[in-house]
Amino acid sequence: MRKTSQDEQILRATKEIVVKFIETGRISPTGFPEVFKTIYRAVDETVRQSADPVTADENAGETS
């Protein structure tokens, strides 16, 4: 299965974020699997919401 350019960019951004967290000591390499999945999901959701302006507009009024 070939990843799309957007999927590759999401993966690359996630990797860079996780590497920076490891370098700064915010996470340890042993915590990599869990942290990577969490960050990947966050980046993926953000990118996909930005790519779908209707969904992004609908979610803009929501509060956490």
Side-chain angles (χ1 to χ4, degrees):
M1 181 164 101
R2 172 117 170 97
K3 290 195 176 291
T4 65
S5 175
Q6 188 177 50
D7 291 336
E8 290 173 1
Q9 290 174 350
I10 292 168
L11 190 60
R12 214 173 289 126
T14 302
K15 181 189 116 194
E16 290 178 23
I17 293 167
V18 171
V19 166
K20 288 296 179 190
F21 281 176
I22 291 171
E23 289 174 349
T24 59
R26 294 190 59 120
I27 63 167
S28 68
T30 57
F32 175 84
E34 182 179 329
V35 172
F36 187 88
K37 288 177 189 177
T38 302
I39 294 172
Y40 183 89
R41 282 189 211 111
V43 172
D44 185 55
E45 288 173 10
T46 302
V47 168
R48 300 212 189 274
Q49 284 178 358
S50 296
D52 184 5
V54 174
T55 302
D57 288 343
E58 289 173 356
N59 291 334
E62 294 180 9
T63 57
S64 299

